[in-house]
Amino acid sequence: RRPLEASGGAIWGIAVSGDMKRLVSVADDGLIRLWQNDDRGPITELVAEDRQVVDVSGDGSRYLLRAPGGVLEVHSADGAMTPVAIPSSAPTTMFNTALATFHNASLSYDGRWVTQSGQPELEVPAPVRVIDVDTGDTVWSDPASLFDTGVVSPDGRRLFLVDDDLAEEEGISVIDLPSGELIARLDQSRTSLIGAEPVGVYPTSDGSHIDVTWNDGQLRRLDAETLDVEAAAHPPFTIEGRIGSDPESDIVYVAGWPGGIGRVDLGQGDETWSRSTDPTILASAALSPDGSVVAALHPFSASIVLFDAETLRPLGRPIPIRAGTGGFAFTSDGDLLVNGPFGVSRITVEP
């Protein structure tokens, strides 16, 4: 027999399932852990009570949580960094109010930059800013922007901003962060040639391109400097939510409606699609660090579904999450962070 080792100090309570295959422990650090009854470590660990996953950096080293009251917190996946608090509001001149609350937030690929943006439900200008997590400095801001979402390039030199309401004629803009100058813009005159409006933007790991989802349900790869379309995917379903990218290749994973999951090589043009017998929505895809597992959200059942990255076949049982929340992502060691019933849970994924 071998002891189960926890990093949370003394264990104060324990309970074992009827089949003896699972046990739950409560430790000195206040965390609740669900264990496999062998020597493989915890399956599920409650890592942040009363919080929700907002984003995880592309390299899986840091994750962004929303705490009670809306304050954001940046945590390191290995626990070595003291959590950094990011205020959820900023000064604004709109409506003669002192503060405006950010609607969206994202982490850069390496987790050093947080971009906060948008109040799209109001359809009025709102603050956008980029914060250096390591120093706490605001490196770029616009107190009255029409952009809904934004993300910083992996090298920290470019800011990509998206406005999905082209009646405002903003589209996609590329900002040079050191100087604050506009480098390129894809506005209504150019998107009319594409025939769709941008929804989300995801820089590639080398920063040379951005992968953009559109309101026609398609995925297009654009040059990060010129915003020219260089490749496109044509799924048999409407892409929903975030995409999952392989940092070592041009392969991108997407999920959508009705019940679809897909793998696209935007460099070679190869496309593989799988349609579920479930006609409801799959939304947002995330790829594990070793490239073996793809996770997707099933909103209607409030669960995360796992797929084999090569065959796109489902793996195991769906993982339940908090209803009405869609936050989930892989950490650098392959664990899955999800919004569980009591806060953020860390789950050991075993393909």
Side-chain angles (χ1 to χ4, degrees):
R1 298 185 180 185
R2 297 179 62 183
L4 299 177
E5 297 182 359
S7 58
I11 295 178
W12 293 98
I14 194 168
V16 183
S17 64
D19 60 5
M20 303 297 290
K21 294 182 179 180
R22 301 286 190 272
L23 56 91
V24 176
S25 68
V26 179
D28 234 0
D29 57 6
L31 297 184
I32 300 171
R33 294 174 171 87
L34 171 65
W35 300 77
Q36 179 82 14
N37 196 8
D38 57 22
D39 61 356
R40 288 180 293 176
I43 296 176
T44 300
E45 178 180 352
L46 181 63
V47 297
E49 188 176 4
D50 293 331
R51 282 155 172 76
Q52 294 186 15
V53 178
V54 176
D55 196 14
V56 175
S57 61
D59 64 3
S61 63
R62 293 180 176 180
Y63 50 92
L64 186 65
L65 306 183
R66 192 180 305 279
V71 174
L72 298 173
E73 296 175 348
V74 181
H75 296 246
S76 60
D78 60 7
M81 181 182 78
T82 301
V84 177
I86 307 291
S88 60
S89 58
T92 179
T93 57
M94 296 302 297
F95 306 117
N96 296 317
T97 59
L99 296 174
T101 301
F102 295 103
H103 183 87
N104 299 311
S106 67
L107 275 174
S108 61
Y109 183 84
D110 61 0
R112 180 174 178 181
W113 316 96
V114 172
T115 304
Q116 295 174 287
S117 58
Q119 292 179 301
E121 70 278 5
L122 298 180
E123 294 297 340
V124 297
V128 175
R129 69 179 176 190
V130 177
I131 293 178
D132 185 325
V133 175
D134 294 337
T135 66
D137 296 334
T138 298
V139 298
W140 183 89
S141 65
D142 182 350
S145 169
L146 290 170
F147 291 103
D148 299 316
T149 58
V151 65
V152 175
S153 63
D155 62 7
R157 298 186 60 85
R158 300 286 186 268
L159 171 63
F160 303 100
L161 294 170
V162 176
D163 172 31
D164 59 13
D165 181 7
L166 283 182
E168 306 293 350
E169 300 187 359
E170 295 291 342
I172 301 175
S173 289
V174 184
I175 306 293
D176 179 75
L177 280 181
S179 67
E181 295 180 356
L182 177 69
I183 298 175
R185 173 176 290 169
L186 191 144
D187 57 15
Q188 190 175 33
S189 63
R190 294 179 65 186
T191 55
S192 62
L193 300 176
I194 298 175
E197 298 173 1
V199 176
V201 59
Y202 309 92
T204 57
S205 59
D206 63 3
S208 63
H209 294 82
I210 54 174
D211 294 328
V212 182
T213 53
W214 304 75
N215 67 348
D216 63 355
Q218 304 297 295
L219 173 70
R220 296 174 177 89
R221 172 163 289 185
L222 279 58
D223 183 278
E225 295 288 336
T226 65
L227 298 182
D228 293 332
V229 178
E230 295 196 351
H234 308 285
F237 51 76
T238 300
I239 295 174
E240 299 283 349
R242 300 177 61 85
I243 67 174
S245 302
D246 181 353
E248 304 298 327
S249 71
D250 292 317
I251 294 176
V252 176
Y253 291 84
V254 298
W257 177 87
I261 188 85
R263 182 181 66 248
V264 182
D265 188 328
L266 289 171
Q268 300 296 324
D270 296 331
E271 301 182 8
T272 303
W273 307 105
S274 176
R275 295 285 290 275
S276 169
T277 55
D278 185 343
T280 55
I281 295 175
L282 287 176
S284 296
L287 181 66
S288 63
D290 64 3
S292 65
V293 177
V294 180
L297 171 68
H298 192 278
F300 291 169
S301 65
S303 63
I304 303 296
V305 184
L306 302 180
F307 297 87
D308 182 283
E310 184 65 28
T311 65
L312 300 184
R313 293 178 180 174
L315 298 172
R317 296 180 179 179
I319 300 170
I321 63 172
R322 184 187 306 178
T325 62
F328 70 98
F330 284 100
T331 63
S332 56
D333 57 7
D335 288 347
L336 194 63
L337 289 179
V338 304
N339 288 328
F342 305 105
V344 178
S345 297
R346 185 172 182 140
I347 298 174
T348 301
V349 175
E350 300 175 353

